[in-house]
Amino acid sequence: MSTGTWTSAVWATEEFRAELCAFLSAAVGVPDHVEVVAHRPWSAVWRVRAAGRSSYAKQNCPGQAHEPRLMTVLARVAPERVVPVLAADADRDLLLTADLGPTVHAREGAANPATWARIAADAALLQRRAVDAVADLGLTVLAPADATTYVADAVGRLAALAPGDPRRLAPEVAVLLEALLPTVERWADEVEDLDLPLTLLHNDLHAGNVVRAPDGGLRFFDFGDAVLGAPLAGLLVPLATARQALDLPADDPALWRIADAALEVWSDLVPLDALRAALPAALQLGRLARVESWRRCVATMTPDERADLGSAPAAWLATLLDPAPLGRAAPLG
């Protein structure tokens, strides 16, 4: 897919429909029914019925086209953590995965702290399994050591856009972010001092991207936003969405119990109290992963799509000025 000419309108063409049906037929037989369940500037998803079973096909925008390649690897190294892959074509960014039923959000409402703790822990276990396997897949790398440069470059690039451009960072926010750079450097140092390996960040891990398999285990999907980064940064989205779903204040101990479920997975490498101390800084760096995935998506949006969604990278960059989504750590024990 060419980033210079590509738009999401391709998914409505007869040419693409024929390509999709050929991919599906080779994988699961001639489909009885194919219906669009999501068509957004960054990806499209179709529900497929063929040979008496249901599955989901997906293609991403060019900036997120790593997903079939990534899912193929994850299905090999951690099949118990991701939805089953039925077919994947990395060259055409076509992915077909099994339908395991409603998401955790749809089925359970995501109102149980224990469910969030399980999501956090299982995602961390997937990260550990993925450390070596995903290093050479060409995913965007957001190392803590590069965080300050990333923020400075993003501020300069977005603030320099013409007035009226929906992607533009407001000048007054740019000034605040430039003043924040020493703090970003401190966050990066805190996270880097943990010396944890860079690994997979799902980067959109809410309960709508998790299903419960027939065996009761959780399975993750929708890795289009994924990047490589410091593992604790991956807790930003689960903790923020858990806090919202559970209607908790930032200092509620329940949020730390969710976080601790993930931190325990890394506690054989770094003492738990050190992980807890660095977590707020890691969560702030996790905001850069959200900036990056939106940047990749906005790059191929049409003018109308940018008018609606083009402000997302700047908006996420501005959240660096917000506090971390959880308060001071409660004492251990």
Side-chain angles (χ1 to χ4, degrees):
M1 294 185 289
S2 169
T3 58
T5 59
W6 186 92
T7 76
S8 61
V10 68
W11 292 319
T13 65
E14 289 299 324
E15 180 181 7
F16 177 79
R17 179 82 173 194
E19 180 181 17
L20 176 63
C21 286
F23 167 72
L24 297 173
S25 296
V28 292
V30 177
D32 306 313
H33 184 72
V34 179
E35 63 174 323
V36 177
V37 295
H39 184 160
R40 298 159 295 191
W42 52 87
S43 69
V45 179
W46 298 263
R47 190 176 187 198
V48 180
R49 288 203 303 269
R53 64 177 176 175
S54 176
S55 55
Y56 288 100
K58 184 180 182 185
Q59 189 179 66
N60 297 280
C61 68
Q64 311 256 83
H66 56 259
E67 190 169 11
R69 185 170 64 253
L70 173 59
M71 282 295 292
T72 298
V73 171
L74 295 179
R76 174 171 53 82
V77 301
E80 76 284 7
R81 305 288 178 204
V82 297
V83 294
V85 173
L86 304 179
D89 185 329
D91 292 334
R92 294 184 294 171
D93 180 29
L94 289 170
L95 177 66
L96 186 68
T97 55
D99 179 3
L100 297 184
T103 66
V104 167
H105 177 77
R107 187 189 298 273
E108 303 172 22
N112 185 346
T115 298
W116 285 105
R118 176 79 181 277
I119 289 172
D122 284 10
L125 290 167
L126 174 60
Q127 286 181 314
R128 289 208 67 165
R129 191 80 62 83
V131 168
D132 294 326
V134 301
D136 299 321
L137 293 182
L139 295 174
T140 307
V141 179
L142 295 176
D146 299 327
T148 308
T149 300
Y150 184 95
V151 174
D153 288 350
V155 169
R157 183 178 67 253
L158 295 173
L161 294 171
D165 190 315
R167 299 168 296 173
R168 187 175 188 239
L169 181 68
E172 62 273 18
V173 178
V175 169
L176 294 174
L177 288 170
E178 287 172 347
L180 189 71
L181 289 176
T183 300
V184 175
E185 185 76 16
R186 176 174 57 77
W187 293 336
D189 287 344
E190 287 184 47
V191 175
E192 193 168 23
D193 284 348
L194 296 176
D195 200 28
L196 290 173
L198 299 184
T199 189
L200 179 68
L201 307 185
H202 181 287
N203 202 21
D204 196 23
L205 188 54
H206 52 75
N209 283 333
V210 186
V211 294
R212 199 176 291 279
D215 64 4
L218 299 182
R219 303 288 187 274
F220 302 117
F221 65 96
D222 194 7
F223 286 84
D225 286 343
V227 301
L228 296 185
L232 305 192
L235 282 167
L236 173 68
V237 175
L239 285 174
T241 51
R243 178 184 169 188
Q244 182 179 32
L246 300 169
D247 193 23
L248 298 175
D251 60 352
D252 195 297
L255 288 176
W256 273 102
R257 287 194 289 273
I258 294 168
D260 284 343
L263 301 185
E264 288 281 0
V265 173
W266 299 98
S267 63
D268 62 317
L269 302 179
V270 179
L272 186 57
D273 58 352
L275 293 170
R276 290 175 124 227
L279 180 58
L283 297 177
Q284 298 296 63
L285 297 190
R287 299 181 191 278
L288 302 184
R290 298 298 300 148
V291 174
E292 176 62 18
S293 61
W294 272 109
R295 183 200 66 78
R296 298 186 310 215
C297 295
V298 170
T300 47
M301 287 183 184
T302 65
D304 285 345
E305 290 168 345
R306 284 184 179 176
D308 187 32
L309 297 163
S311 63
W316 269 102
L317 194 62
T319 67
L320 287 170
L321 300 166
D322 297 337
L326 80 174
R328 186 183 300 273
L332 288 170

